[in-house]
Amino acid sequence: MELKEKQKKILDVAVELFKEKGYLGSSVRDLATKLNIKAASLYAHIRSKEEILEWICFGIAQEFFDELQEVKNTHIPPKEKLNLFLDKHLSVVLKNRDVTHIYSNEWRHLEEKLPEFVELRKNYQQEVETLISEIYQAENWELKSPSFTTRFILHTLNNSYFWFKRNSDSTDEITDEIREKILYGLLGNQK
């Protein structure tokens, strides 16, 4: 999805608005006011408010898939691959805190593209589950519930933006701490 310059500006302002008021609490009029244009003028650049939510949800989902593909294509030991996955996924989350917040909380309001987005989320979770299962198998670690473990990891990573103040903690420190907590919680003494 390639956005034009004006659409990128609309997207940036919409992210602020949706974060502040929520998707349902925001209107096209609110967005136009923040952009200092008339609401009717906005429709020269967007089909609807929902299209902006699509840009947000599908855009960051693509970033997650791109990073996952990079991890899958590496030829490193399994434990390092797990570390790399955690780092890459968390990096996307922390670079896009507000977008991740909207992605995590507002995707259910997609209407036209909801089935496609639900399928995309399932595919991502399945790919991550396969990666984690392969890593566990290669390391001879016991994995009682691949699906639960995957959901636990993704939920933890996707919601990590809540735990840290924007400017007080470095991304590296946050990433290291979360990775350590996840790995210790999953692997215990095997870590």
Side-chain angles (χ1 to χ4, degrees), residues 14-150:
V15 166
E16 291 174 24
L17 183 64
F18 294 172
K19 175 80 169 45
E20 176 187 324
K21 294 177 120 183
Y23 175 76
L24 293 179
S26 303
S27 69
V28 171
R29 185 173 309 264
D30 295 332
L31 182 56
T33 299
K34 280 194 169 273
L35 288 162
N36 202 25
I37 62 174
K38 295 184 181 192
S41 300
L42 239 134
Y43 289 106
H45 306 286
I46 64 170
R47 284 189 334 266
S48 63
K49 181 175 82 164
E50 184 179 350
E51 180 181 37
I52 299 169
L53 185 59
E54 290 169 11
W55 294 345
I56 292 168
C57 293
F58 284 91
I60 195 163
Q62 187 60 55
E63 285 188 56
F64 287 133
F65 270 105
D66 291 346
E67 295 296 343
L68 177 60
Q69 198 57 48
E70 193 174 314
V71 170
K72 289 169 67 175
N73 290 337
T74 61
H75 301 288
I76 56 177
K79 193 168 169 185
E80 288 178 36
K81 196 173 265 199
L82 180 57
N83 277 322
L84 183 62
F85 165 72
L86 296 174
D87 288 351
K88 291 214 172 266
H89 190 96
L90 194 55
S91 174
V92 172
V93 169
L94 295 177
K95 281 189 307 191
N96 302 286
R97 291 174 190 228
D98 292 343
V99 170
T100 302
H101 173 81
I102 295 163
Y103 165 85
S104 296
N105 296 293
E106 304 288 358
W107 65 269
R108 290 170 186 82
H109 301 300
L110 290 168
E111 293 174 16
E112 184 181 313
K113 295 220 174 190
L114 182 60
E116 180 183 345
F117 188 72
V118 167
E119 190 63 28
L120 186 69
R121 283 177 62 101
K122 279 188 213 173
N123 290 343
Y124 184 75
Q125 183 175 325
Q126 185 59 50
E127 286 197 37
V128 172
E129 184 176 319
T130 299
L131 176 71
I132 290 170
S133 295
E134 289 169 358
I135 290 168
Y136 269 70
Q137 187 175 24
E139 291 290 324
N140 290 319
W141 296 331
E142 182 180 356
L143 182 58
K144 292 182 181 174
S145 175
S147 180
F148 176 81
T149 300
T150 301

